[in-house]
PDB file of all heavy atoms in Angstrom:
ATOM      1  N   ALA A1372    -110.996 -43.656  75.546  1.00 79.00           N
ATOM      2  CA  ALA A1372    -111.595 -44.948  75.880  1.00 79.00           C
ATOM      3  C   ALA A1372    -113.112 -44.929  75.723  1.00 79.00           C
ATOM      4  O   ALA A1372    -113.739 -45.978  75.558  1.00 79.00           O
ATOM      5  CB  ALA A1372    -111.218 -45.334  77.303  1.00 79.00           C
ATOM      6  N   ASP A1373    -113.739 -43.749  75.760  1.00 83.00           N
ATOM      7  CA  ASP A1373    -115.193 -43.635  75.635  1.00 83.00           C
ATOM      8  C   ASP A1373    -115.668 -43.531  74.191  1.00 83.00           C
ATOM      9  O   ASP A1373    -116.871 -43.550  73.942  1.00 83.00           O
ATOM     10  CB  ASP A1373    -115.689 -42.406  76.408  1.00 83.00           C
ATOM     11  CG  ASP A1373    -115.458 -42.535  77.902  1.00 83.00           C
ATOM     12  OD1 ASP A1373    -115.332 -43.678  78.395  1.00 83.00           O
ATOM     13  OD2 ASP A1373    -115.408 -41.498  78.575  1.00 83.00           O
ATOM     14  N   LEU A1374    -114.763 -43.403  73.235  1.00 88.00           N
ATOM     15  CA  LEU A1374    -115.140 -43.282  71.825  1.00 88.00           C
ATOM     16  C   LEU A1374    -115.569 -44.636  71.273  1.00 88.00           C
ATOM     17  O   LEU A1374    -115.065 -45.674  71.691  1.00 88.00           O
ATOM     18  CB  LEU A1374    -113.955 -42.757  71.010  1.00 88.00           C
ATOM     19  CG  LEU A1374    -113.492 -41.350  71.334  1.00 88.00           C
ATOM     20  CD1 LEU A1374    -112.228 -41.035  70.554  1.00 88.00           C
ATOM     21  CD2 LEU A1374    -114.574 -40.338  71.030  1.00 88.00           C
ATOM     22  N   PRO A1375    -116.506 -44.643  70.319  1.00 92.00           N
ATOM     23  CA  PRO A1375    -116.917 -45.915  69.716  1.00 92.00           C
ATOM     24  C   PRO A1375    -115.773 -46.529  68.907  1.00 92.00           C
ATOM     25  O   PRO A1375    -114.925 -45.827  68.367  1.00 92.00           O
ATOM     26  CB  PRO A1375    -118.085 -45.530  68.812  1.00 92.00           C
ATOM     27  CG  PRO A1375    -118.047 -44.063  68.679  1.00 92.00           C
ATOM     28  CD  PRO A1375    -117.261 -43.514  69.805  1.00 92.00           C
ATOM     29  N   THR A1376    -115.765 -47.842  68.827  1.00 94.00           N
ATOM     30  CA  THR A1376    -114.719 -48.539  68.077  1.00 94.00           C
ATOM     31  C   THR A1376    -115.352 -49.508  67.083  1.00 94.00           C
ATOM     32  O   THR A1376    -116.500 -49.903  67.220  1.00 94.00           O
ATOM     33  CB  THR A1376    -113.778 -49.334  69.008  1.00 94.00           C
ATOM     34  OG1 THR A1376    -114.544 -50.288  69.733  1.00 94.00           O
ATOM     35  CG2 THR A1376    -113.042 -48.423  69.960  1.00 94.00           C
ATOM     36  N   LYS A1377    -114.568 -49.878  66.091  1.00 95.00           N
ATOM     37  CA  LYS A1377    -114.941 -50.877  65.092  1.00 95.00           C
ATOM     38  C   LYS A1377    -113.726 -51.747  64.836  1.00 95.00           C
ATOM     39  O   LYS A1377    -112.609 -51.405  65.196  1.00 95.00           O
ATOM     40  CB  LYS A1377    -115.333 -50.220  63.776  1.00 95.00           C
ATOM     41  CG  LYS A1377    -116.671 -49.545  63.780  1.00 95.00           C
ATOM     42  CD  LYS A1377    -117.006 -49.101  62.370  1.00 95.00           C
ATOM     43  CE  LYS A1377    -118.379 -48.484  62.329  1.00 95.00           C
ATOM     44  NZ  LYS A1377    -118.747 -48.090  60.968  1.00 95.00           N
ATOM     45  N   THR A1378    -113.939 -52.864  64.151  1.00 96.00           N
ATOM     46  CA  THR A1378    -112.852 -53.737  63.743  1.00 96.00           C
ATOM     47  C   THR A1378    -112.632 -53.578  62.245  1.00 96.00           C
ATOM     48  O   THR A1378    -113.588 -53.612  61.463  1.00 96.00           O
ATOM     49  CB  THR A1378    -113.194 -55.204  64.056  1.00 96.00           C
ATOM     50  OG1 THR A1378    -113.482 -55.310  65.447  1.00 96.00           O
ATOM     51  CG2 THR A1378    -112.043 -56.122  63.727  1.00 96.00           C
ATOM     52  N   CYS A1379    -111.399 -53.406  61.860  1.00 95.00           N
ATOM     53  CA  CYS A1379    -111.047 -53.222  60.450  1.00 95.00           C
ATOM     54  C   CYS A1379    -111.341 -54.504  59.665  1.00 95.00           C
ATOM     55  O   CYS A1379    -110.991 -55.607  60.104  1.00 95.00           O
ATOM     56  CB  CYS A1379    -109.569 -52.863  60.333  1.00 95.00           C
ATOM     57  SG  CYS A1379    -108.997 -52.632  58.644  1.00 95.00           S
ATOM     58  N   VAL A1380    -111.981 -54.365  58.519  1.00 93.00           N
ATOM     59  CA  VAL A1380    -112.337 -55.505  57.675  1.00 93.00           C
ATOM     60  C   VAL A1380    -111.087 -56.155  57.089  1.00 93.00           C
ATOM     61  O   VAL A1380    -111.035 -57.364  56.923  1.00 93.00           O
ATOM     62  CB  VAL A1380    -113.293 -55.056  56.548  1.00 93.00           C
ATOM     63  CG1 VAL A1380    -113.589 -56.180  55.590  1.00 93.00           C
ATOM     64  CG2 VAL A1380    -114.570 -54.503  57.135  1.00 93.00           C
ATOM     65  N   SER A1381    -110.064 -55.375  56.808  1.00 92.00           N
ATOM     66  CA  SER A1381    -108.867 -55.876  56.157  1.00 92.00           C
ATOM     67  C   SER A1381    -107.885 -56.534  57.137  1.00 92.00           C
ATOM     68  O   SER A1381    -107.523 -57.685  56.965  1.00 92.00           O
ATOM     69  CB  SER A1381    -108.169 -54.739  55.421  1.00 92.00           C
ATOM     70  OG  SER A1381    -107.013 -55.197  54.788  1.00 92.00           O
ATOM     71  N   CYS A1382    -107.492 -55.796  58.181  1.00 93.00           N
ATOM     72  CA  CYS A1382    -106.458 -56.308  59.090  1.00 93.00           C
ATOM     73  C   CYS A1382    -107.013 -56.923  60.369  1.00 93.00           C
ATOM     74  O   CYS A1382    -106.303 -57.633  61.070  1.00 93.00           O
ATOM     75  CB  CYS A1382    -105.465 -55.207  59.442  1.00 93.00           C
ATOM     76  SG  CYS A1382    -106.139 -53.865  60.442  1.00 93.00           S
ATOM     77  N   GLY A1383    -108.277 -56.647  60.699  1.00 94.00           N
ATOM     78  CA  GLY A1383    -108.889 -57.238  61.880  1.00 94.00           C
ATOM     79  C   GLY A1383    -108.575 -56.542  63.188  1.00 94.00           C
ATOM     80  O   GLY A1383    -109.002 -57.007  64.245  1.00 94.00           O
ATOM     81  N   LEU A1384    -107.849 -55.438  63.139  1.00 95.00           N
ATOM     82  CA  LEU A1384    -107.508 -54.710  64.358  1.00 95.00           C
ATOM     83  C   LEU A1384    -108.592 -53.684  64.693  1.00 95.00           C
ATOM     84  O   LEU A1384    -109.235 -53.133  63.797  1.00 95.00           O
ATOM     85  CB  LEU A1384    -106.165 -53.993  64.191  1.00 95.00           C
ATOM     86  CG  LEU A1384    -104.952 -54.897  64.018  1.00 95.00           C
ATOM     87  CD1 LEU A1384    -103.716 -54.059  63.744  1.00 95.00           C
ATOM     88  CD2 LEU A1384    -104.744 -55.750  65.248  1.00 95.00           C
ATOM     89  N   PRO A1385    -108.794 -53.410  65.985  1.00 95.00           N
ATOM     90  CA  PRO A1385    -109.786 -52.404  66.355  1.00 95.00           C
ATOM     91  C   PRO A1385    -109.268 -50.991  66.097  1.00 95.00           C
ATOM     92  O   PRO A1385    -108.067 -50.734  66.191  1.00 95.00           O
ATOM     93  CB  PRO A1385    -109.988 -52.638  67.850  1.00 95.00           C
ATOM     94  CG  PRO A1385    -108.735 -53.282  68.311  1.00 95.00           C
ATOM     95  CD  PRO A1385    -108.210 -54.062  67.141  1.00 95.00           C
ATOM     96  N   PHE A1386    -110.191 -50.087  65.744  1.00 95.00           N
ATOM     97  CA  PHE A1386    -109.827 -48.682  65.579  1.00 95.00           C
ATOM     98  C   PHE A1386    -110.942 -47.826  66.138  1.00 95.00           C
ATOM     99  O   PHE A1386    -112.095 -48.235  66.199  1.00 95.00           O
ATOM    100  CB  PHE A1386    -109.513 -48.339  64.121  1.00 95.00           C
ATOM    101  CG  PHE A1386    -110.658 -48.512  63.165  1.00 95.00           C
ATOM    102  CD1 PHE A1386    -111.457 -47.429  62.812  1.00 95.00           C
ATOM    103  CD2 PHE A1386    -110.934 -49.741  62.602  1.00 95.00           C
ATOM    104  CE1 PHE A1386    -112.508 -47.580  61.912  1.00 95.00           C
ATOM    105  CE2 PHE A1386    -111.975 -49.904  61.706  1.00 95.00           C
ATOM    106  CZ  PHE A1386    -112.766 -48.821  61.369  1.00 95.00           C
ATOM    107  N   ALA A1387    -110.598 -46.616  66.574  1.00 93.00           N
ATOM    108  CA  ALA A1387    -111.541 -45.725  67.255  1.00 93.00           C
ATOM    109  C   ALA A1387    -112.078 -44.659  66.304  1.00 93.00           C
ATOM    110  O   ALA A1387    -111.483 -44.362  65.267  1.00 93.00           O
ATOM    111  CB  ALA A1387    -110.862 -45.061  68.447  1.00 93.00           C
ATOM    112  N   TRP A1388    -113.193 -44.098  66.691  1.00 92.00           N
ATOM    113  CA  TRP A1388    -113.863 -43.009  65.974  1.00 92.00           C
ATOM    114  C   TRP A1388    -112.922 -41.827  65.824  1.00 92.00           C
ATOM    115  O   TRP A1388    -112.135 -41.529  66.718  1.00 92.00           O
ATOM    116  CB  TRP A1388    -115.086 -42.604  66.780  1.00 92.00           C
ATOM    117  CG  TRP A1388    -115.931 -41.531  66.203  1.00 92.00           C
ATOM    118  CD1 TRP A1388    -116.982 -41.690  65.371  1.00 92.00           C
ATOM    119  CD2 TRP A1388    -115.829 -40.115  66.448  1.00 92.00           C
ATOM    120  NE1 TRP A1388    -117.544 -40.474  65.077  1.00 92.00           N
ATOM    121  CE2 TRP A1388    -116.850 -39.491  65.726  1.00 92.00           C
ATOM    122  CE3 TRP A1388    -114.971 -39.333  67.206  1.00 92.00           C
ATOM    123  CZ2 TRP A1388    -117.037 -38.112  65.737  1.00 92.00           C
ATOM    124  CZ3 TRP A1388    -115.150 -37.971  67.220  1.00 92.00           C
ATOM    125  CH2 TRP A1388    -116.180 -37.374  66.491  1.00 92.00           C
ATOM    126  N   ARG A1389    -112.990 -41.163  64.682  1.00 92.00           N
ATOM    127  CA  ARG A1389    -112.219 -39.936  64.445  1.00 92.00           C
ATOM    128  C   ARG A1389    -113.164 -38.830  64.014  1.00 92.00           C
ATOM    129  O   ARG A1389    -114.190 -39.089  63.394  1.00 92.00           O
ATOM    130  CB  ARG A1389    -111.189 -40.140  63.336  1.00 92.00           C
ATOM    131  CG  ARG A1389    -110.087 -41.087  63.700  1.00 92.00           C
ATOM    132  CD  ARG A1389    -109.077 -41.132  62.582  1.00 92.00           C
ATOM    133  NE  ARG A1389    -108.071 -42.125  62.832  1.00 92.00           N
ATOM    134  CZ  ARG A1389    -107.105 -42.424  61.991  1.00 92.00           C
ATOM    135  NH1 ARG A1389    -107.029 -41.804  60.826  1.00 92.00           N
ATOM    136  NH2 ARG A1389    -106.225 -43.333  62.279  1.00 92.00           N
ATOM    137  N   LYS A1390    -112.804 -37.613  64.305  1.00 90.00           N
ATOM    138  CA  LYS A1390    -113.628 -36.458  63.964  1.00 90.00           C
ATOM    139  C   LYS A1390    -113.915 -36.399  62.462  1.00 90.00           C
ATOM    140  O   LYS A1390    -115.026 -36.086  62.049  1.00 90.00           O
ATOM    141  CB  LYS A1390    -112.923 -35.176  64.438  1.00 90.00           C
ATOM    142  CG  LYS A1390    -113.644 -33.896  64.105  1.00 90.00           C
ATOM    143  CD  LYS A1390    -114.900 -33.735  64.907  1.00 90.00           C
ATOM    144  CE  LYS A1390    -115.517 -32.375  64.611  1.00 90.00           C
ATOM    145  NZ  LYS A1390    -116.843 -32.253  65.156  1.00 90.00           N
ATOM    146  N   LYS A1391    -112.928 -36.738  61.633  1.00 92.00           N
ATOM    147  CA  LYS A1391    -113.125 -36.653  60.184  1.00 92.00           C
ATOM    148  C   LYS A1391    -114.122 -37.692  59.677  1.00 92.00           C
ATOM    149  O   LYS A1391    -114.641 -37.554  58.575  1.00 92.00           O
ATOM    150  CB  LYS A1391    -111.800 -36.765  59.428  1.00 92.00           C
ATOM    151  CG  LYS A1391    -111.145 -38.119  59.473  1.00 92.00           C
ATOM    152  CD  LYS A1391    -109.856 -38.089  58.669  1.00 92.00           C
ATOM    153  CE  LYS A1391    -109.208 -39.449  58.612  1.00 92.00           C
ATOM    154  NZ  LYS A1391    -108.012 -39.424  57.783  1.00 92.00           N
ATOM    155  N   TRP A1392    -114.431 -38.728  60.483  1.00 91.00           N
ATOM    156  CA  TRP A1392    -115.408 -39.736  60.109  1.00 91.00           C
ATOM    157  C   TRP A1392    -116.780 -39.446  60.712  1.00 91.00           C
ATOM    158  O   TRP A1392    -117.676 -40.277  60.646  1.00 91.00           O
ATOM    159  CB  TRP A1392    -114.968 -41.108  60.576  1.00 91.00           C
ATOM    160  CG  TRP A1392    -113.744 -41.634  59.888  1.00 91.00           C
ATOM    161  CD1 TRP A1392    -113.327 -41.374  58.624  1.00 91.00           C
ATOM    162  CD2 TRP A1392    -112.786 -42.530  60.443  1.00 91.00           C
ATOM    163  NE1 TRP A1392    -112.175 -42.061  58.342  1.00 91.00           N
ATOM    164  CE2 TRP A1392    -111.810 -42.777  59.455  1.00 91.00           C
ATOM    165  CE3 TRP A1392    -112.643 -43.160  61.672  1.00 91.00           C
ATOM    166  CZ2 TRP A1392    -110.740 -43.616  59.659  1.00 91.00           C
ATOM    167  CZ3 TRP A1392    -111.569 -43.997  61.875  1.00 91.00           C
ATOM    168  CH2 TRP A1392    -110.630 -44.216  60.876  1.00 91.00           C
ATOM    169  N   GLU A1393    -116.974 -38.278  61.279  1.00 90.00           N
ATOM    170  CA  GLU A1393    -118.197 -37.952  62.005  1.00 90.00           C
ATOM    171  C   GLU A1393    -119.457 -38.176  61.169  1.00 90.00           C
ATOM    172  O   GLU A1393    -120.420 -38.773  61.646  1.00 90.00           O
ATOM    173  CB  GLU A1393    -118.130 -36.499  62.472  1.00 90.00           C
ATOM    174  CG  GLU A1393    -119.290 -36.065  63.327  1.00 90.00           C
ATOM    175  CD  GLU A1393    -119.088 -34.674  63.892  1.00 90.00           C
ATOM    176  OE1 GLU A1393    -118.327 -33.873  63.302  1.00 90.00           O
ATOM    177  OE2 GLU A1393    -119.700 -34.405  64.930  1.00 90.00           O
ATOM    178  N   ARG A1394    -119.458 -37.717  59.924  1.00 94.00           N
ATOM    179  CA  ARG A1394    -120.658 -37.813  59.094  1.00 94.00           C
ATOM    180  C   ARG A1394    -120.883 -39.205  58.521  1.00 94.00           C
ATOM    181  O   ARG A1394    -122.007 -39.603  58.273  1.00 94.00           O
ATOM    182  CB  ARG A1394    -120.613 -36.794  57.958  1.00 94.00           C
ATOM    183  CG  ARG A1394    -120.993 -35.410  58.451  1.00 94.00           C
ATOM    184  CD  ARG A1394    -121.033 -34.425  57.309  1.00 94.00           C
ATOM    185  NE  ARG A1394    -119.786 -33.657  57.381  1.00 94.00           N
ATOM    186  CZ  ARG A1394    -119.057 -33.299  56.341  1.00 94.00           C
ATOM    187  NH1 ARG A1394    -119.433 -33.599  55.132  1.00 94.00           N
ATOM    188  NH2 ARG A1394    -117.950 -32.621  56.508  1.00 94.00           N
ATOM    189  N   ASP A1395    -119.812 -39.983  58.240  1.00 94.00           N
ATOM    190  CA  ASP A1395    -120.003 -41.304  57.650  1.00 94.00           C
ATOM    191  C   ASP A1395    -119.459 -42.442  58.503  1.00 94.00           C
ATOM    192  O   ASP A1395    -118.967 -43.421  57.965  1.00 94.00           O
ATOM    193  CB  ASP A1395    -119.379 -41.432  56.259  1.00 94.00           C
ATOM    194  CG  ASP A1395    -118.521 -40.306  55.827  1.00 94.00           C
ATOM    195  OD1 ASP A1395    -119.092 -39.280  55.583  1.00 94.00           O
ATOM    196  OD2 ASP A1395    -117.305 -40.480  55.729  1.00 94.00           O
ATOM    197  N   TRP A1396    -119.586 -42.377  59.796  1.00 94.00           N
ATOM    198  CA  TRP A1396    -119.086 -43.431  60.685  1.00 94.00           C
ATOM    199  C   TRP A1396    -119.726 -44.777  60.347  1.00 94.00           C
ATOM    200  O   TRP A1396    -119.083 -45.818  60.438  1.00 94.00           O
ATOM    201  CB  TRP A1396    -119.322 -43.050  62.140  1.00 94.00           C
ATOM    202  CG  TRP A1396    -118.900 -44.101  63.115  1.00 94.00           C
ATOM    203  CD1 TRP A1396    -119.713 -44.783  63.968  1.00 94.00           C
ATOM    204  CD2 TRP A1396    -117.577 -44.592  63.356  1.00 94.00           C
ATOM    205  NE1 TRP A1396    -118.976 -45.664  64.721  1.00 94.00           N
ATOM    206  CE2 TRP A1396    -117.659 -45.571  64.357  1.00 94.00           C
ATOM    207  CE3 TRP A1396    -116.333 -44.317  62.812  1.00 94.00           C
ATOM    208  CZ2 TRP A1396    -116.550 -46.261  64.830  1.00 94.00           C
ATOM    209  CZ3 TRP A1396    -115.219 -45.008  63.289  1.00 94.00           C
ATOM    210  CH2 TRP A1396    -115.339 -45.964  64.283  1.00 94.00           C
ATOM    211  N   ASP A1397    -120.974 -44.780  59.922  1.00 94.00           N
ATOM    212  CA  ASP A1397    -121.655 -46.034  59.604  1.00 94.00           C
ATOM    213  C   ASP A1397    -121.051 -46.717  58.372  1.00 94.00           C
ATOM    214  O   ASP A1397    -121.104 -47.942  58.260  1.00 94.00           O
ATOM    215  CB  ASP A1397    -123.144 -45.794  59.363  1.00 94.00           C
ATOM    216  CG  ASP A1397    -123.855 -45.346  60.623  1.00 94.00           C
ATOM    217  OD1 ASP A1397    -123.393 -45.686  61.732  1.00 94.00           O
ATOM    218  OD2 ASP A1397    -124.869 -44.647  60.494  1.00 94.00           O
ATOM    219  N   GLN A1398    -120.468 -45.953  57.454  1.00 95.00           N
ATOM    220  CA  GLN A1398    -119.893 -46.526  56.241  1.00 95.00           C
ATOM    221  C   GLN A1398    -118.407 -46.862  56.366  1.00 95.00           C
ATOM    222  O   GLN A1398    -117.859 -47.525  55.492  1.00 95.00           O
ATOM    223  CB  GLN A1398    -120.070 -45.569  55.051  1.00 95.00           C
ATOM    224  CG  GLN A1398    -121.488 -45.449  54.569  1.00 95.00           C
ATOM    225  CD  GLN A1398    -122.317 -44.510  55.410  1.00 95.00           C
ATOM    226  OE1 GLN A1398    -121.800 -43.536  55.923  1.00 95.00           O
ATOM    227  NE2 GLN A1398    -123.593 -44.807  55.563  1.00 95.00           N
ATOM    228  N   VAL A1399    -117.744 -46.413  57.432  1.00 94.00           N
ATOM    229  CA  VAL A1399    -116.304 -46.657  57.598  1.00 94.00           C
ATOM    230  C   VAL A1399    -116.077 -48.137  57.888  1.00 94.00           C
ATOM    231  O   VAL A1399    -116.686 -48.697  58.793  1.00 94.00           O
ATOM    232  CB  VAL A1399    -115.728 -45.783  58.737  1.00 94.00           C
ATOM    233  CG1 VAL A1399    -114.275 -46.132  58.993  1.00 94.00           C
ATOM    234  CG2 VAL A1399    -115.861 -44.318  58.412  1.00 94.00           C
ATOM    235  N   LYS A1400    -115.190 -48.783  57.099  1.00 94.00           N
ATOM    236  CA  LYS A1400    -114.900 -50.207  57.263  1.00 94.00           C
ATOM    237  C   LYS A1400    -113.425 -50.482  57.507  1.00 94.00           C
ATOM    238  O   LYS A1400    -113.071 -51.526  58.031  1.00 94.00           O
ATOM    239  CB  LYS A1400    -115.331 -50.973  56.016  1.00 94.00           C
ATOM    240  CG  LYS A1400    -116.804 -50.923  55.754  1.00 94.00           C
ATOM    241  CD  LYS A1400    -117.142 -51.641  54.472  1.00 94.00           C
ATOM    242  CE  LYS A1400    -118.614 -51.475  54.170  1.00 94.00           C
ATOM    243  NZ  LYS A1400    -118.944 -51.855  52.803  1.00 94.00           N
ATOM    244  N   PHE A1401    -112.566 -49.549  57.081  1.00 95.00           N
ATOM    245  CA  PHE A1401    -111.127 -49.770  57.151  1.00 95.00           C
ATOM    246  C   PHE A1401    -110.477 -48.749  58.083  1.00 95.00           C
ATOM    247  O   PHE A1401    -110.924 -47.610  58.171  1.00 95.00           O
ATOM    248  CB  PHE A1401    -110.507 -49.655  55.760  1.00 95.00           C
ATOM    249  CG  PHE A1401    -111.097 -50.620  54.769  1.00 95.00           C
ATOM    250  CD1 PHE A1401    -111.997 -50.189  53.813  1.00 95.00           C
ATOM    251  CD2 PHE A1401    -110.765 -51.953  54.803  1.00 95.00           C
ATOM    252  CE1 PHE A1401    -112.549 -51.059  52.898  1.00 95.00           C
ATOM    253  CE2 PHE A1401    -111.312 -52.845  53.892  1.00 95.00           C
ATOM    254  CZ  PHE A1401    -112.206 -52.405  52.944  1.00 95.00           C
ATOM    255  N   CYS A1402    -109.389 -49.146  58.734  1.00 94.00           N
ATOM    256  CA  CYS A1402    -108.726 -48.269  59.700  1.00 94.00           C
ATOM    257  C   CYS A1402    -107.786 -47.262  59.039  1.00 94.00           C
ATOM    258  O   CYS A1402    -107.449 -46.248  59.639  1.00 94.00           O
ATOM    259  CB  CYS A1402    -107.968 -49.098  60.725  1.00 94.00           C
ATOM    260  SG  CYS A1402    -106.624 -50.097  60.051  1.00 94.00           S
ATOM    261  N   SER A1403    -107.355 -47.531  57.812  1.00 94.00           N
ATOM    262  CA  SER A1403    -106.394 -46.640  57.151  1.00 94.00           C
ATOM    263  C   SER A1403    -106.503 -46.767  55.636  1.00 94.00           C
ATOM    264  O   SER A1403    -107.166 -47.667  55.113  1.00 94.00           O
ATOM    265  CB  SER A1403    -104.970 -47.020  57.582  1.00 94.00           C
ATOM    266  OG  SER A1403    -104.654 -48.323  57.125  1.00 94.00           O
ATOM    267  N   ASP A1404    -105.826 -45.868  54.941  1.00 93.00           N
ATOM    268  CA  ASP A1404    -105.782 -45.934  53.476  1.00 93.00           C
ATOM    269  C   ASP A1404    -105.078 -47.211  53.020  1.00 93.00           C
ATOM    270  O   ASP A1404    -105.457 -47.818  52.018  1.00 93.00           O
ATOM    271  CB  ASP A1404    -105.049 -44.723  52.898  1.00 93.00           C
ATOM    272  CG  ASP A1404    -105.840 -43.444  53.057  1.00 93.00           C
ATOM    273  OD1 ASP A1404    -107.082 -43.520  53.160  1.00 93.00           O
ATOM    274  OD2 ASP A1404    -105.218 -42.363  53.059  1.00 93.00           O
ATOM    275  N   ARG A1405    -104.061 -47.628  53.748  1.00 94.00           N
ATOM    276  CA  ARG A1405    -103.327 -48.841  53.397  1.00 94.00           C
ATOM    277  C   ARG A1405    -104.244 -50.065  53.447  1.00 94.00           C
ATOM    278  O   ARG A1405    -104.251 -50.898  52.533  1.00 94.00           O
ATOM    279  CB  ARG A1405    -102.150 -49.018  54.347  1.00 94.00           C
ATOM    280  CG  ARG A1405    -101.314 -50.229  54.055  1.00 94.00           C
ATOM    281  CD  ARG A1405    -100.148 -50.298  55.008  1.00 94.00           C
ATOM    282  NE  ARG A1405     -99.365 -51.492  54.734  1.00 94.00           N
ATOM    283  CZ  ARG A1405     -98.299 -51.832  55.411  1.00 94.00           C
ATOM    284  NH1 ARG A1405     -97.870 -51.080  56.409  1.00 94.00           N
ATOM    285  NH2 ARG A1405     -97.636 -52.917  55.111  1.00 94.00           N
ATOM    286  N   CYS A1406    -105.043 -50.172  54.507  1.00 93.00           N
ATOM    287  CA  CYS A1406    -105.981 -51.296  54.617  1.00 93.00           C
ATOM    288  C   CYS A1406    -107.084 -51.205  53.577  1.00 93.00           C
ATOM    289  O   CYS A1406    -107.541 -52.221  53.057  1.00 93.00           O
ATOM    290  CB  CYS A1406    -106.590 -51.346  56.020  1.00 93.00           C
ATOM    291  SG  CYS A1406    -105.477 -52.044  57.244  1.00 93.00           S
ATOM    292  N   ARG A1407    -107.526 -49.994  53.262  1.00 92.00           N
ATOM    293  CA  ARG A1407    -108.572 -49.839  52.259  1.00 92.00           C
ATOM    294  C   ARG A1407    -108.080 -50.304  50.896  1.00 92.00           C
ATOM    295  O   ARG A1407    -108.778 -51.017  50.180  1.00 92.00           O
ATOM    296  CB  ARG A1407    -109.016 -48.382  52.172  1.00 92.00           C
ATOM    297  CG  ARG A1407    -110.176 -48.201  51.210  1.00 92.00           C
ATOM    298  CD  ARG A1407    -110.680 -46.802  51.176  1.00 92.00           C
ATOM    299  NE  ARG A1407    -109.572 -45.851  51.120  1.00 92.00           N
ATOM    300  CZ  ARG A1407    -109.637 -44.601  51.511  1.00 92.00           C
ATOM    301  NH1 ARG A1407    -110.763 -44.126  52.002  1.00 92.00           N
ATOM    302  NH2 ARG A1407    -108.603 -43.816  51.436  1.00 92.00           N
ATOM    303  N   SER A1408    -106.841 -49.965  50.514  1.00 92.00           N
ATOM    304  CA  SER A1408    -106.325 -50.404  49.219  1.00 92.00           C
ATOM    305  C   SER A1408    -106.049 -51.911  49.212  1.00 92.00           C
ATOM    306  O   SER A1408    -106.285 -52.576  48.214  1.00 92.00           O
ATOM    307  CB  SER A1408    -105.068 -49.626  48.834  1.00 92.00           C
ATOM    308  OG  SER A1408    -104.029 -49.879  49.746  1.00 92.00           O
ATOM    309  N   ALA A1409    -105.602 -52.458  50.321  1.00 89.00           N
ATOM    310  CA  ALA A1409    -105.378 -53.899  50.415  1.00 89.00           C
ATOM    311  C   ALA A1409    -106.701 -54.648  50.415  1.00 89.00           C
ATOM    312  O   ALA A1409    -106.836 -55.712  49.806  1.00 89.00           O
ATOM    313  CB  ALA A1409    -104.588 -54.232  51.672  1.00 89.00           C
ATOM    314  N   GLY A1410    -107.717 -54.091  51.079  1.00 74.00           N
ATOM    315  CA  GLY A1410    -109.036 -54.721  51.115  1.00 74.00           C
ATOM    316  C   GLY A1410    -109.705 -54.724  49.760  1.00 74.00           C
ATOM    317  O   GLY A1410    -110.407 -55.666  49.409  1.00 74.00           O
ATOM    318  N   ALA A1411    -109.495 -53.692  48.970  1.00 67.00           N
ATOM    319  CA  ALA A1411    -110.078 -53.616  47.640  1.00 67.00           C
ATOM    320  C   ALA A1411    -109.451 -54.685  46.735  1.00 67.00           C
ATOM    321  O   ALA A1411    -110.117 -55.257  45.880  1.00 67.00           O
ATOM    322  CB  ALA A1411    -109.875 -52.227  47.064  1.00 67.00           C
ATOM    323  N   LYS A1412    -108.189 -54.982  46.930  1.00 69.00           N
ATOM    324  CA  LYS A1412    -107.513 -55.993  46.117  1.00 69.00           C
ATOM    325  C   LYS A1412    -107.949 -57.404  46.518  1.00 69.00           C
ATOM    326  O   LYS A1412    -108.025 -58.294  45.690  1.00 69.00           O
ATOM    327  CB  LYS A1412    -105.989 -55.864  46.255  1.00 69.00           C
ATOM    328  CG  LYS A1412    -105.446 -54.623  45.619  1.00 69.00           C
ATOM    329  CD  LYS A1412    -103.963 -54.470  45.872  1.00 69.00           C
ATOM    330  CE  LYS A1412    -103.448 -53.139  45.350  1.00 69.00           C
ATOM    331  NZ  LYS A1412    -102.066 -52.898  45.698  1.00 69.00           N
ATOM    332  N   GLN A1413    -108.231 -57.610  47.821  1.00 64.00           N
ATOM    333  CA  GLN A1413    -108.649 -58.922  48.310  1.00 64.00           C
ATOM    334  C   GLN A1413    -110.051 -59.275  47.843  1.00 64.00           C
ATOM    335  O   GLN A1413    -110.354 -60.408  47.559  1.00 64.00           O
ATOM    336  CB  GLN A1413    -108.628 -58.966  49.843  1.00 64.00           C
ATOM    337  CG  GLN A1413    -107.235 -58.958  50.418  1.00 64.00           C
ATOM    338  CD  GLN A1413    -107.266 -58.905  51.931  1.00 64.00           C
ATOM    339  OE1 GLN A1413    -108.304 -58.768  52.551  1.00 64.00           O
ATOM    340  NE2 GLN A1413    -106.077 -58.988  52.531  1.00 64.00           N
ATOM    341  N   ALA A1414    -110.947 -58.284  47.784  1.00 54.00           N
ATOM    342  CA  ALA A1414    -112.348 -58.547  47.440  1.00 54.00           C
ATOM    343  C   ALA A1414    -112.587 -58.696  45.969  1.00 54.00           C
ATOM    344  O   ALA A1414    -111.853 -58.814  45.131  1.00 54.00           O
ATOM    345  CB  ALA A1414    -113.220 -57.400  47.944  1.00 54.00           C
TER     346      ALA A1414
END
């Protein structure tokens, strides 16, 4: 509950910080690979 959260650009759902995103948390926009591929098709 103390981890930072963001809202996914594609699906609009909130998602929490993950260790693998530690270095590029500022650039993370999508909650999953599925949303990232769907978001790329929408834009």
Side-chain angles (χ1 to χ4, degrees):
D1373 295 337
L1374 295 174
T1376 59
K1377 286 187 177 182
T1378 304
C1379 179
V1380 175
S1381 180
C1382 67
L1384 295 175
F1386 63 96
W1388 182 90
R1389 293 184 186 177
K1390 178 70 175 169
K1391 69 179 184 177
W1392 293 330
E1393 184 173 24
R1394 281 184 258 139
D1395 9 290
W1396 177 244
D1397 294 333
Q1398 289 80 33
V1399 175
K1400 297 177 185 166
F1401 302 104
C1402 63
S1403 64
D1404 290 335
R1405 181 178 179 181
C1406 282
R1407 184 176 44 204
S1408 64
K1412 291 175 186 174
Q1413 289 176 354

